[in-house]
Amino acid sequence: LDLNFNSISGSIPDELYGLVKLQQLDLNDNRLEGTISTRIGLLSQLAFFQVHGNNMTGTIPSEMGNLSMLGAATFEANN
C-alpha cells in the first residue's frame, strides 16, 4: 500500500493495523503525527515499512521485533 507524498495528516489510522495480509506500507513524506501503535505487531506479513519524513514521535514499538517477514523499515526525519 503506497500512500507516500499524499499530505496525509493526523495519526496512522487504526484501520491500517487491521490489514493483516499487508506486505508493504509506505507512508513516507506526509504530515503524520503521534506514535506507531503497538498494533503494528498484528501485521505479520509486513515485509516493508516506511514512515520517514513525517512528524512522528515516541519510540519504535517492541512488537515490530516480532515481524519475522520485515526486511526493511525506515523512520528517519521524524521527531
Side-chain angles (χ1 to χ4, degrees):
L1 182 59
D2 188 350
L3 297 173
N4 62 343
F5 295 101
N6 276 289
S7 298
I8 299 169
S9 60
S11 60
I12 297 174
D14 280 339
E15 292 81 6
L16 289 179
Y17 299 116
L19 302 174
V20 296
K21 294 190 179 194
L22 194 65
Q23 296 178 352
Q24 176 178 332
L25 183 54
D26 188 347
L27 297 167
N28 65 302
D29 297 302
N30 282 291
R31 296 181 188 144
L32 292 170
E33 300 175 340
T35 61
I36 300 168
S37 171
T38 58
R39 293 185 64 209
I40 190 94
L42 299 173
L43 303 178
S44 61
Q45 301 300 307
L46 195 63
F48 184 81
F49 179 69
Q50 285 191 341
V51 72
H52 65 268
N54 284 286
N55 212 11
M56 304 295 293
T57 58
T59 59
I60 298 169
S62 61
E63 288 79 2
M64 288 197 76
N66 298 329
L67 300 177
S68 61
M69 303 295 288
L70 191 63
T74 61
F75 304 95
E76 71 269 9
N78 280 288
N79 289 324

